[in-house]
């Protein structure tokens, strides 16, 4: 099989925190390069970040994240392990599965194959196995990361494709049919569930994706109140609307280190 990858092993960007020895870089590039060498699709970018949690109480302190773009589609995987070597082995295996899955599904879409059966999405796209959260006491939790994006306007099926390719637990986007800021996540009897600022199930464009839609509108909360609610619920994320007159959705989510991150629409940055 000819390698059509447009990126060489040396071009795989590796970022290490100060606790990870520099001589790990060639091994990271070798393992990730081995995955890229077996792809039939061009790889436009690839980067890996490895960090070690400073708290000795964390059971799996080494965290490795790989991001890439294959066939124009993003691929992201993340693992946690006790050692760097264990993390690299898990990362290589998980990246291979994610890249092959994204490439196969992209080929399905571009070839315009017949619509899948009612359960095909669930058979192909098993829920990702994510690292556990560090059990940080509620009084110590802070919003440490604020990410602002121009939300993608797309169908629910397209949102599911990106969510699975990026290995996310949820995806914040603007649903095409209803025009509502929405969150797609894995839950319910079909495996996918949609929450919207103001639910409009009759207008949602879901395509062939098996889906349930929440009938509850997004709760109006300040960021501080959202933190309090997430502390109490123990859920991995919270979709809400800020009390500032802006009809845009936000997501507060739990980070692996026990703190919180906040995702908003780009123009909402204060």
């Amino acid at each position: 099989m000819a390698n059509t990858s447009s990126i060489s092993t040396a071009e795989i960007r590796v970022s290490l925190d100060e606790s990870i020895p520099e001589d790990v870089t060639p091994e990271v590039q070798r393992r990730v390069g081995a995955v890229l060498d077996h792809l039939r699709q061009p790889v436009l970018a690839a980067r890996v970040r490895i960090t070690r949690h400073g708290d000795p109480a964390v059971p799996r302190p080494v965290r490795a994240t790989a991001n890439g773009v294959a066939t124009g589609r993003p691929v992201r995987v993340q693992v946690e392990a006790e050692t760097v070597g264990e993390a690299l082995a898990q990362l290589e295996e998980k990246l291979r599965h994610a890249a092959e899955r994204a490439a196969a599904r992209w080929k399905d879409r571009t070839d315009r194959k017949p619509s899948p059966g009612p359960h095909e999405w669930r058979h192909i796209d098993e829920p990702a196995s994510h690292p556990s959260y560090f059990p940080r006491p509620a009084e110590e939790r802070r919003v440490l990361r604020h990410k602002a994006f121009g939300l993608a306007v797309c169908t629910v099926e397209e949102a599911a494709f990106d969510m699975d390719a990026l290995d996310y637990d949820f995806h914040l986007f603007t649903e095409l049919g209803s025009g509502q800021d929405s969150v797609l996540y894995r839950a319910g009897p079909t495996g996918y569930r949609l929450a919207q600022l103001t639910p409009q199930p009759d207008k949602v464009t879901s395509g062939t994706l098996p889906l349930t839609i929440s009938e509850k509108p997004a709760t109006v909360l300040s960021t501080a109140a959202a933190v309090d609610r997430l502390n109490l619920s123990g859920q991995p994320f919270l979709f809400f609307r800020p009390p500032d007159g802006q009809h845009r959705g936000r997501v507060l989510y739990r980070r692996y280190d026990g703190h919180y991150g906040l995702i908003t629409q780009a123009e909402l940055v204060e």
Side-chain angles (χ1 to χ4, degrees), residues 143 146-149 221-224 240-246 248-250 262-270:
V143 179
H146 184 172
K147 297 187 288 187
F149 300 101
L221 295 168
S222 66
T223 299
F240 68 103
R241 174 186 297 182
D244 56 6
Q246 294 280 350
R248 306 310 304 256
R250 294 185 175 189
L262 179 66
I263 300 177
T264 72
Q265 173 74 358
E267 69 256 27
L268 293 180
V269 178
E270 297 168 355

Side-chain angles (χ1 to χ4, degrees), residues 173-192:
F173 69 107
T174 301
E175 197 281 316
L176 179 64
S178 64
Q180 292 286 311
D181 283 359
S182 307
V183 166
L184 182 69
Y185 57 103
R186 296 183 179 90
T190 66
Y192 289 94

Side-chain angles (χ1 to χ4, degrees), residues 118-217:
H119 299 296
E120 185 171 341
W121 276 82
R122 295 185 66 190
H123 292 167
I124 295 174
D125 305 316
E126 298 177 359
S129 176
H130 289 281
S132 59
Y133 303 110
F134 177 63
R136 186 175 300 281
E139 62 272 13
E140 296 180 6
R141 299 171 193 168
R142 302 289 183 271
V143 179
L144 294 187
R145 190 175 187 188
H146 184 172
K147 297 187 288 187
F149 300 101
L151 300 187
V153 179
C154 61
T155 66
V156 177
E157 191 171 50
E158 290 168 333
F161 181 92
D162 288 338
M163 183 176 74
D164 292 333
L166 291 167
D167 196 33
Y168 287 160
D169 291 319
F170 62 86
H171 186 45
L172 177 64
F173 69 107
T174 301
E175 197 281 316
L176 179 64
S178 64
Q180 292 286 311
D181 283 359
S182 307
V183 166
L184 182 69
Y185 57 103
R186 296 183 179 90
T190 66
Y192 289 94
R193 188 164 177 80
L194 187 73
Q196 298 191 287
L197 285 184
T198 302
Q200 297 182 7
D202 57 322
K203 296 182 179 180
V204 170
T205 305
S206 61
T208 59
L209 183 73
L211 180 72
T212 58
I213 301 176
S214 172
E215 298 180 354
K216 296 180 179 180

